[in-house]
Amino acid sequence: TTVAELVPLAAIEHNVWDQLLKEYVDRQGMVRYSTWKKNADDVRALDGYLRRLSHSNGEGSRDEKLAFWINAYNAVTIKGILREYPTSSIRNHTARFFGYNIWKNLKLHVGDQAFSLEAIEHEILRKMGEPRIHFAIVCASISCPRLLDEAYVAERIQDQLNNNAREFFADSSKFQYDSARRTFSVSPILNWFGEDFGNSTSGRLKRISDWLPEGAAGAAAARGEGKITFLEYDWGLNDRK
């Protein structure tokens, strides 16, 4: 693709991705990988969508960038899992020292650059100062946020991000509150990326308070009161068998 052929983010359609998600992802974010892999047309449709993303020059509004790069991250992850399927976990394909690492080696070309999943997450999305991305990008694991069964689109992305954040904290495997001990037990995502939510426990609690279930937990978090512990993380595949 020459630079002259590249188009702004507003010209990139996400409807193919939207249709694939509606077909293969359920309300809980579990993916029918087996059925998808057997459907050659839909495997090709995903490849076509990723090629379409490559034709962007990356220029657009903040909401267009958020929608584009969240969709890109999730679509590349699905592509990587479909290629390895059947598998029990993405961690089977993330070699630490030698060999293939899906997070580092699987690349999406956008314009004249190649982006790994790690680069999309750390170099683009996290630098946008939007912590809700952590409830939207999905590493194909059970303890990840749910994979939304529709594409993110600039026109609705603020609502989509808020809804997914609320769904995340409504899930007892990712969030619990013990009012007697004033303890928030949360997904380790808030440990790994804690600085994206604030530079203190109090700041982080206030930041997430809008997305917590109403009642004692939300009120205590809004005051920044309590301590945080971290739950276990299940790296099992988000596979709807």
Side-chain angles (χ1 to χ4, degrees), residues 176-184 216-217 220 226-227:
Q176 298 160 23
Y177 179 62
D178 181 335
S179 55
R181 293 200 173 93
R182 286 176 42 195
T183 300
F184 296 82
K227 61 177 192 281

Side-chain angles (χ1 to χ4, degrees), residues 89-225:
S89 171
I90 196 169
R91 293 310 292 267
N92 300 336
H93 314 286
T94 55
R96 282 187 62 191
F97 300 112
F98 304 107
Y100 174 72
N101 184 321
I102 200 169
W103 289 326
K104 296 177 191 294
N105 300 121
L106 190 58
K107 301 281 176 70
L108 175 70
H109 288 265
V110 177
D112 57 356
Q113 279 183 278
F115 296 90
S116 66
L117 287 167
E118 280 193 353
I120 292 171
E121 180 173 15
H122 300 293
E123 301 304 315
I124 299 173
L125 285 168
R126 289 186 67 200
K127 288 191 172 165
M128 293 181 72
E130 175 48 82
R132 291 173 298 170
I133 62 148
H134 295 298
F135 314 126
I137 57 174
V138 181
C139 63
S141 304
I142 287 167
S143 285
C144 284
R146 65 167 182 162
L147 178 62
L148 202 58
D149 57 354
E150 62 180 18
Y152 287 88
V153 289
E155 302 74 44
R156 290 192 296 117
I157 190 160
Q158 296 302 322
D159 287 338
Q160 290 175 309
L161 289 174
N162 278 333
N163 289 342
N164 242 27
R166 288 191 195 103
E167 293 262 347
F168 186 87
F169 288 106
D171 178 346
S172 62
S173 72
K174 299 180 176 76
F175 175 79
Q176 298 160 23
Y177 179 62
D178 181 335
S179 55
R181 293 200 173 93
R182 286 176 42 195
T183 300
F184 296 82
S185 300
V186 299
S187 163
I189 287 172
L190 276 89
N191 184 24
W192 304 329
F193 306 109
E195 67 266 30
D196 293 3
F197 294 88
N199 50 20
S200 66
T201 297
S202 174
R204 288 167 196 167
L205 287 173
K206 287 176 181 171
R207 191 74 185 85
I208 67 171
S209 64
D210 283 347
W211 311 314
L212 298 186
E214 287 186 4
R223 295 192 300 270
E225 291 175 3

Side-chain angles (χ1 to χ4, degrees), residues 211-239:
W211 311 314
L212 298 186
E214 287 186 4
R223 295 192 300 270
E225 291 175 3
K227 61 177 192 281
I228 295 178
T229 63
F230 299 103
L231 298 162
E232 290 290 306
Y233 202 86
D234 185 345
W235 285 102
L237 192 68
N238 61 342
D239 190 1

